[in-house]
Structure formats: structure tokens, C-alpha cells
Amino acid sequence: MTLGRLLLAWLPVAALFVVAPPIGYRWDLFVGKSFFVWMYNQWEIGWRLAEAVVVTLFASLWFDSLGAGAWWLLFFLVGLLVAFPRRLVMWQHVEPLRRRHLLAHACLDLARYIAAGGLLAWRLA
């Protein structure tokens, strides 16, 4: 796999990760108002770009060695690992309204990983 091909695969995933994570990110400040809250800062954007690099390299390993089959299952499982553990720890310490928000945000993170998997399957497979 060439560096150019990896860069072209990373670009749409990076754009997705920069746009998608702010949705509902600051759940603790806006309980009862809305799930969709857009907030940005430089540290968060930099972290999401680095996350997109890691996901792109992971997908490159998958598509270059094992093929394109069941990519959705792979990214679903990785999304579960990313989205739920942190929120499950918080789950036990918050009231029911915040639990619904935590669940919604975890589902949005999971959807973000599945969408990234689809973009990478399109670009790398």
C-alpha cells in the first residue's frame, strides 16, 4: 500500500471524525436541551485527526491482508470497544436522564466508526 493511497483513504475519515464527534460531546452541560451540541477546540480536533490515522492504518491491515469481507462487523466491534466502556463507567453514577444521553452518545460514536469503516472499505478495498 502506498503512502498516497493511505492519505487519500485518510482524508474522508478525518473529515468525518472532525465533523461527527462534536455531536453530543458535552453531554453534561446540556442535559434536557438536546443531544446535538456542536463544540470544537483545537485539542479535540487534533485528537480526532490522530484517531482517524489509527483507524485508517487498522483498516489498511484488514483490507490488505484479509480482504474486504465482513468489514462492517469488524468496525462494529471496534466501535463498541471505543464507545461503550467509558460511558458504562459513568452510567452507574448518573441519574436516568443523563443515562439516556450517554446511550445516545455511545450510539453516535458507534455509527461514526461504522461510517468510517464504510468509507475505508470504499477507498481501500
Side-chain angles (χ1 to χ4, degrees):
M1 169 139 326
T2 66
L3 186 58
R5 186 171 173 218
L6 280 175
L7 182 64
L8 288 176
W10 172 77
L11 287 173
V13 175
L16 172 71
F17 278 23
V18 167
V19 171
I23 298 174
Y25 179 68
R26 295 298 303 265
W27 63 274
D28 55 338
L29 298 178
F30 300 94
V31 170
K33 294 182 182 175
S34 176
F35 288 120
F36 300 101
V37 178
W38 292 85
M39 299 185 79
Y40 291 97
N41 63 48
Q42 288 180 337
W43 185 88
E44 180 71 22
I45 290 172
W47 178 252
R48 295 303 177 164
L49 291 174
E51 183 183 16
V53 167
V54 172
V55 170
T56 302
L57 292 174
F58 180 73
S60 173
L61 286 173
W62 176 261
F63 293 122
D64 287 343
S65 62
L66 298 174
W71 65 264
W72 60 271
L73 179 60
L74 177 74
F75 284 94
F76 177 79
L77 293 173
V78 170
L80 285 176
L81 287 172
V82 169
F84 281 92
R86 179 183 64 169
R87 289 181 178 94
L88 288 177
V89 170
M90 289 188 273
W91 181 277
Q92 61 187 337
H93 302 293
V94 298
E95 62 273 1
L97 181 58
R98 288 184 190 227
R99 286 180 183 174
R100 285 196 306 264
H101 283 248
L102 285 171
L103 181 62
H105 302 157
C107 290
L108 288 170
D109 269 351
L110 182 59
R112 181 172 59 100
Y113 266 81
I114 294 171
L119 286 171
L120 289 165
W122 170 58
R123 300 297 294 168
L124 296 174

